[in-house]
């Protein structure tokens, strides 16, 4: 092969200009380019998604947009995108409540709530009403009630009036007929109201309002006489071993006399009423004098014995009142005056609360 170095060199000295080929066919047929085959698309079994429109590529645009106020999604504290448990239906809740373990838990929870409520009520009620002291006055039985009624009707034959004590506290009423109780006054109050309504009905004067009038008037007189007794003790500066509940019990025994007088009025008219009321008043006054005398004239020495049902007294007594260790002559006179005051006011209140219920003739004969 011959090499000519001056082939492309201009004779003048510069490089020779390359020739322009005008006929492409003179250059020969070009070699064909290899065919390009598009590889098959990788499919994992998902549905083929058509390509997005040119203006939507890379941007997710909602075709339907509702700009009105929509309801909350209801996640209730759960993050969006996580699966949420379906709400239980009423049938599922009902079946769950019938499960033994759920019933036991509900029963235990209810009993705990009931115990807490009972304790709260007892605690708040104990601040105003002495519940432990009230239990003492209602500790009675049938034998005590019968013996107490006989004592109220026939007190003249009774000899022993001293209240028995167990160490420093008096025994319960069921063990001592001389002990005061609140069962007979409470039952006497209810019986009086019902008997008053019955007698008004026999006299054609009954109305539903009369029951409430009789009950409220009797309760008002109880409160009035209790306030009157306490104010009298306070004004006269008389210190005694008599407690407020004792006064309430002794002032409630007049209902036995009132009921007996009204029963006599039903059978014998006004004559029987006044005869029974006269005897009942004498018996009641005798009973009160004999019973209260031991509580009043004993002085405040028993008040120093702190029992479970007694009220608490101040540690330092009033220096201007009678001595707390021994009742003086002036204190004894004031106690005697108070004793007579109670013994006189009880029969008067018995007459005042019953005289308007007495018929002119025997009510049983009039009803026939």
């Amino acid at each position: 092969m011959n090499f000519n170095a001056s082939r492309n060199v201009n004779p003048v000295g510069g490089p020779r200009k390359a020739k322009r080929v005008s006929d492409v066919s003179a250059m020969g047929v070009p070699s064909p380019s290899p065919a390009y085959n598009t590889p098959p698309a990788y499919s994992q079994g998902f549905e083929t998604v058509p390509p997005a429109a040119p203006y939507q590529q890379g941007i997710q645009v909602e075709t339907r947009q509702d700009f009105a106020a929509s309801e909350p999604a209801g996640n209730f504290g759960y993050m969006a995108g996580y699966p949420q448990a379906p709400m239980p239906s009423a049938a599922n809740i009902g079946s769950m409540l019938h499960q033994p373990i759920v019933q036991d838990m509900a029963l235990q929870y209810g009993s705990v709530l009931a115990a807490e409520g009972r304790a709260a009520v007892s605690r708040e009620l104990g601040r105003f009403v002495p519940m432990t002291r009230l239990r003492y006055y209602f500790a009675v039985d049938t034998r005590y009630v019968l013996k107490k009624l006989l004592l109220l009707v026939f007190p003249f034959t009774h000899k022993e009036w001293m209240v028995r004590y167990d160490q420093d506290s008096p025994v319960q009423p069921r063990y001592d007929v001389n002990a005061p109780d609140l069962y007979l006054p409470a039952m006497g109050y209810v019986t009086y109201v019902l008997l008053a309504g019955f007698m008004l009905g026999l006299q054609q004067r009954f109305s539903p309002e009369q029951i409430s009038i009789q009950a409220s008037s009797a309760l008002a007189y109880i409160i009035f006489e209790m306030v009157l007794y306490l104010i009298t003790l306070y004004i006269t500066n008389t210190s005694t071993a008599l407690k407020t509940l004792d006064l309430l019990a002794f002032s409630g025994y007049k209902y036995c006399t009132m009921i007996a007088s009204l029963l006599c009025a039903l059978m014998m008219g006004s004559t029987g009423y006044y005869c029974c009321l006269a005897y009942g008043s004498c018996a009641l006054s005798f009973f009160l004098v004999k019973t209260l005398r031991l509580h009043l004239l004993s002085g405040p020495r028993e008040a120093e014995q702190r029992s479970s049902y007694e009220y608490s007294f101040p540690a330092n007594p009033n220096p201007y009142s009678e001595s707390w260790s021994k009742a003086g002559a002036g204190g004894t006179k004031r106690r005697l005056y108070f004793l007579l005051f109670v013994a006189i006011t009880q029969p008067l209140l018995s007459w005042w609360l019953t005289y308007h219920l007495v018929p002119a003739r025997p009510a049983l004969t009039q009803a026939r």
Side-chain angles (χ1 to χ4, degrees), residues 113-129 131:
L113 287 181
E116 292 179 355
R118 194 183 307 110
V121 171
S122 300
R123 182 173 59 255
E124 295 298 327
L125 190 60
R127 297 171 55 186
F128 306 99
V129 180
M131 299 302 296

Side-chain angles (χ1 to χ4, degrees), residues 12-270:
V12 181
R16 182 180 295 180
K17 186 178 180 179
K19 295 182 178 181
R20 182 178 180 182
V21 179
S22 60
D23 190 3
V24 179
S25 60
M27 296 178 62
V29 180
S31 60
S33 59
Y36 178 76
N37 296 328
T38 304
Y42 178 74
S43 177
Q44 296 182 354
F46 298 101
E47 182 180 358
T48 304
V49 180
Y55 64 87
Q56 291 181 351
Q57 290 183 0
I59 303 175
Q60 298 295 332
V61 180
E62 296 182 0
T63 57
R64 296 180 60 187
Q65 296 184 2
D66 187 7
F67 293 98
S70 58
E71 297 294 332
N75 289 332
F76 303 105
Y78 296 95
M79 297 179 62
Y82 289 91
Q84 300 180 9
M87 297 296 293
S89 61
N92 294 335
I93 295 177
S95 61
M96 181 182 65
L97 294 178
H98 288 289
Q99 297 294 330
I101 186 172
V102 177
Q103 294 179 355
D104 293 341
M105 292 176 61
L107 181 61
Q108 184 178 3
Y109 185 69
S111 61
V112 170
L113 287 181
E116 292 179 355
R118 194 183 307 110
V121 171
S122 300
R123 182 173 59 255
E124 295 298 327
L125 190 60
R127 297 171 55 186
F128 306 99
V129 180
M131 299 302 296
T132 57
R133 300 164 189 149
L134 284 177
R135 294 194 189 100
Y136 167 82
Y137 291 95
F138 284 94
V140 299
D141 54 5
T142 306
R143 182 181 178 183
Y144 168 82
V145 172
L146 294 177
K147 294 176 65 175
K148 194 73 171 185
L149 289 175
L150 291 175
L151 179 61
L152 291 172
V153 177
F154 306 105
F156 309 103
T157 59
H158 193 66
K159 300 301 181 183
E160 183 61 35
W161 296 95
M162 183 67 68
V163 178
R164 291 184 294 177
Y165 278 77
D166 183 12
Q167 294 181 355
D168 294 337
S169 61
V171 298
Q172 294 180 352
R174 65 164 63 100
Y175 303 118
D176 186 12
V177 70
N178 296 321
D181 71 285
L182 289 175
Y183 176 80
L184 281 177
M187 294 298 103
Y189 171 80
V190 176
T191 307
Y192 162 75
V193 173
L194 297 178
L195 185 58
F198 177 71
M199 296 192 67
L200 290 175
L202 292 178
Q203 302 173 32
Q204 306 299 325
R205 295 190 296 162
F206 177 78
S207 63
E209 292 80 9
Q210 288 296 327
I211 296 293
S212 60
I213 291 174
Q214 296 297 325
S216 59
S217 61
L219 183 61
Y221 277 109
I222 291 175
I223 298 175
F224 168 74
E225 61 180 319
M226 290 301 302
V227 172
L228 181 62
Y229 293 154
L230 294 177
I231 291 177
T232 303
L233 289 175
Y234 179 77
I235 292 177
T236 58
N237 199 12
T238 303
S239 57
T240 66
L242 195 64
K243 296 173 284 294
T244 305
L245 294 179
D246 292 339
L247 278 175
L248 181 61
F250 288 121
S251 63
Y253 288 138
K254 65 178 177 291
Y255 286 107
C256 299
T257 303
M258 295 164 55
I259 293 170
S261 302
L262 291 177
L263 291 177
C264 291
L266 284 175
M267 296 181 292
M268 295 178 290
S270 59

